[in-house]
Amino acid sequence: MTTKMFGAKVARVEDQRFLRGQGRYVDDLLTDDPRLLHSAVLRSPHAHARIVDIDVSDVLDLEGVIAVWTWDDLTGPMAEPLPLLIPHPTLTHGRTQYALARDEVNYVGEAIAFVVAVDRYVAEDAVSRIRVDYEFLKPVVGIAAARAAANAVHDDVPDNVGARMEQENGDARAAIATAPHTLTLDLDVERSACTPMEGRGTVARWDPDTSRLTVWSSTQTSTGVRGCVAAKLGLDLAKVDVVTPDVGGGFGVKINHPWPEELLVPLAAMTLGRPVKFTEDRREHFISSAHERAQQHHVEVGFDDDGRVLGLNVEFWHDHGAYTPYGLIVPIITSTQLLGPYKPANYRVVFESLYTNTVIVTPYRGAGRPQGCFVMERTMDAISAYLGKDRTEVRATNFIQPDEFPYEHGLVFQDGRELTYDSGDYPASLVKLKELVGWDEFEDFRAEMAAQGRKVGIGLACYVEGTGVGPYEGAHVHIETSGKVKVATGLTTQGQGHQTAFAQIVADTLGVRFEDVEITTGDTRKMPYAVGTFASRAAVMSGSAIHLAALRAKEKALRIAAEALEASEDDLEIADGVVSVRGTDASAGTRIDLGTVAVLSNPLRYAFDEASKAATQFSVGDPGKPPVAEDDEPGLEGKDFYSPPRSTFANGMHAVIVETDPDTAEIKILKYAVVHDCGNLINPMIVEGQIHGGVAQGVGGALYERMAYDESGQLLNASFMDFLMPYATEVPTSIDIDHLETPSPLNPLGIKGAGEAGVIPSAAVFAAAIEDAEGFPIMSMPISPSELFELRLAHADEPHPLTEESA
Amino acid sequence: MKPAPFAYLRPATLEEALAALAGEQGAKVLAGGQSLVPLLNMRLAAPSMLIDINALPDLGHVRVAEDGVRVGALARHAEVLGSAEAEQAQPLLAMALRHVAHPTIRNRGTTVGSIVHADAAAEVPMVLRLLEGSVDVASVRGRRTIPAAELFAGPLESTLAHDEIAVEAFFPALAPGAGVAFQEIARRHGDYALVGVAAHVETDGEAVTRARVGFVSVSDVPVVVDVTDAVQDPAGDPAATALAELDPAEDIHATAAYRTHLVKVLAPRVLAAATDHARSRAGEAIHP
Amino acid sequence: MTTEQLHDVRLHVNGSVHEVQVPARRLLSDALRHDCGLTGTHVGCEHGVCGACTVLVDGTPMRSCLMLAVSAVDAEITTVEGLTEDDGTAQGRLSPVQQAFSDCHGLQCGFCTPGFLTTITAGLRETPDPTEDEAREMIAGNLCRCTGYQNIVKSVLRASEIVAERERGEA
């Protein structure tokens, strides 16, 4: 009997190589190739300037320097702006940068020149010798400056507005005008960034013997990189292979593509006839990879005596940085996912996406949802405070009920499809959360702490996360004559344990030993059609595709086995890689292992091995027909694609108890609780790991991390010294997790995505808890002790404005 | 982030090191390198030559005598922190060293190196000044002792001449009847302090005869303020006395007002703790 | 520009001797990765904060990005590749710390992991039976962006158990 792998806490197979130091990340590749060259990029030290002249004359004199490129050296598509990956009709003024700046730079860090040398040290020496004359322009930094539009980022973009988008369900303004109660709130979130431990990196090798280009990139989409490299370098797609090796974390930043270096490295490799590597360093990561999160929101809400939202009108301003290569995905997600588990009777949202002279913005884990959740949950807390009601009660009043699924919001989601929730049970989740965090006992705890002179607060936040967005992923399952199962899926892996979770699916679906399954991801040689790993989609999309592909392989295996065993397919079962007639013992003639079935699947049957020899004892096929039937093909394989009608919607709720120091304003986490519903769990250990990581990243985003730009557009904290990623000492000492599993009806495994969830409610839940501890509203995140101290000063001698009216 | 090129020397004797340093204006001394190498990697420093003193003999000591603790130029923070004798002789040293970065950095970084790096955000320079210690420096011209009060010239600037190598720091022992305390507030565990405060208090019976407070990260040089009068005056405000000589600045992690507030919070706390410490030590001395 | 002077450096790594020729500015992290081919040591920040490049220098954890290769001549260096125990197989047996990370899901992308493994290996020699707080303190100088540290703390505690189990001959 094979043990069911789906749902089990299976130890990860990838860990063996990682733990032994045998992982292969991009910078590890080709290290023993003496022909390998290294590169460095000259980046703009100014936020906004015209390039008058670039002088590279001193560079090639330097021993060890091989070549240098500026925009003047680029030709054809390489000299054109980088692609705008995801256009949108409302993105009326989309702009992208050049691989190397042409005549203007728009952020500190924008690539200007590319140097190739014998090693990175010499390449950096060379970069420091390039002289650029700039004509300075006035920088636009921050949303306020962008909205004021005293200066323009791009001459041809009026008021710095790249896009304006509006959606409405019902008539929110009318509903607010007639509502018994109304509130307005202004809510801000600052910039942060993914900051994976491994930065970006690309290696390329042109093979003149086969006329093929191989590119290894630390990316979240190898097919995407392949497509753009081929297009930009003018190569046939068939000449380009892109392989994603081990990736040291992504969190979103590596889904944007092509980065300038992803094109310049292959260009240099082809031009120079030698392999070339680019490894981004930490400072570069801060100033030349993407950021996210900065948004300002204005909320008007109308509600009844129970706190039921009758009308919600949200305006917000999104800082997308200097260019818009990734379109409007982030603000569109905010505008739709803001609704969370609630069903306001009328909803209107309008946003402007604004240019600033800062690093570009592309999705960072959560992708606009943390801001949306912050807005909605702060609104729920404000309504509760105004009415003097328990915060969980007001939320429960507004929940979509379990019998209302599928629930249509009347809006269009990021994938261009209707925003329709598939399943969930929010009231049940809330019950679990209250229990887990001790919501009903908290006032006793508060009193106990107050008696000791200590201040504590509790907060909660709920979210719904559209996961598993399409359009598709595919998988190929190949059963070798050894019985080993080789599976390829095209999306990439950045630490999520896909090699384990996907193998669990295959083991169950096919009836083979988990150990016999090997998963390959992110290699365009094995699966040229794929999308990528983002939007918590890998398990839903590739997991489902792998399941379907394995079913096809199984179908074929049963057909061949039935013939060989002279049994009906319906009577066969597969367990531990052996097909047998159900209900029979192990006697000969009733069992055949999958390896042998694989041999039988191929009429070419050289007796290389024992399996092939064994296969000769079975006679298969009609001697009167061709060895490979008309509707068949040789080999035991299955290939399929999964393409869902729309996204799945995972959900969850977090609660936190914080203590704020009355003297120093330090903020300490006393308890953190998570209730999480991502449908059926493939590997609960991995899902909990994702939650842990998300919560820690959320703690960083709520209490520690921000991008500190000065007025001139210099990023003041472009290092791990000053960009304060949490250490073990800054995260909760434990995270209490409870799961609810409401299966998705949209895919065969009933799963929903889990990757981003942990980070979504963080800003909201910490703001709520700190507000509860302090008694004044927290409207801007992140918050530091210094800022909390300043707020205390501002609110000294002032009653709580949200409870004042209800008092 | 790779260093610019430099020449490199790894002398076997102090004399050789001093001669090389005297002969090369752009040379810098490499000991632990935990402050220097990040600057090299970011190309914020580009010395023409590094003189690596890690192979010099007889500089790795942490010697404890009746008058105090002598720390050689190659003694790592971890070694100083690991010396129970040193902690016994001068407890403030260990109290402060526990706040220096993380253990892995303390394994390589040297205490003397931290002093001559003269960072006002670092714990050890301030502690040396508060304890009225000194640094012995050597050059081809001979040796001299620089009292801590004369050691810090400006932000990241010591009064060592270019050709001098600090070979030993001296932290005076804690006198009977004296007590010390240290507290700091940092954003993350192990970060540079937003504000760090140490106190050194001398008592005679119940009376405080001398009280001084040292500050980390509230001025651009390590500052020590004598608050004896304010402590002795029942209506005195030692934090206010201290703040008169401090200039808390705003940066991305804290406003000046918050730093000022933290000084007000921490100064009385460490003074009280140091006073308790002094009294408890006096008690121990009487009743061993 | 004159050719940069190269230094003959003999590095002792994981019990082997590597004779390399490097310029003085070559960071130990780069020498290990690119000159010795030991790419298990990872580089995450090159300013000493993240801890991914941590190796053992004479048994003591240090940042290899803050050391020069030329300055490491007299030291015995242990990298992640040197942590496995000899059990007669080519691969070797996972050390207690490595095994604990596998048992407890102490890693995700694996990039920061080598620095944690080396740090904890040394930490457990000093504190063989850590409390949870001591375990957290042991890893407090290493950044991880994936795990939220929850399972790394568990791994430290589990590793301590495995050391004891192996000493008793149970595993």
Side-chain angles (χ1 to χ4, degrees), chain A residues 779-791:
Chain A
M779 310 303 266
S780 179
M781 291 295 275
I783 186 166
S784 67
S786 181
E787 286 161 320
L788 180 57
F789 167 76
E790 296 289 339
L791 282 174

Side-chain angles (χ1 to χ4, degrees), chain B residues 6 19 57 66 78 83 93 102 134 229 287:
Chain B
F6 47 77
E66 213 163 282
S83 165
L93 201 44
H102 293 105
S134 60
D229 291 347
H287 314 285

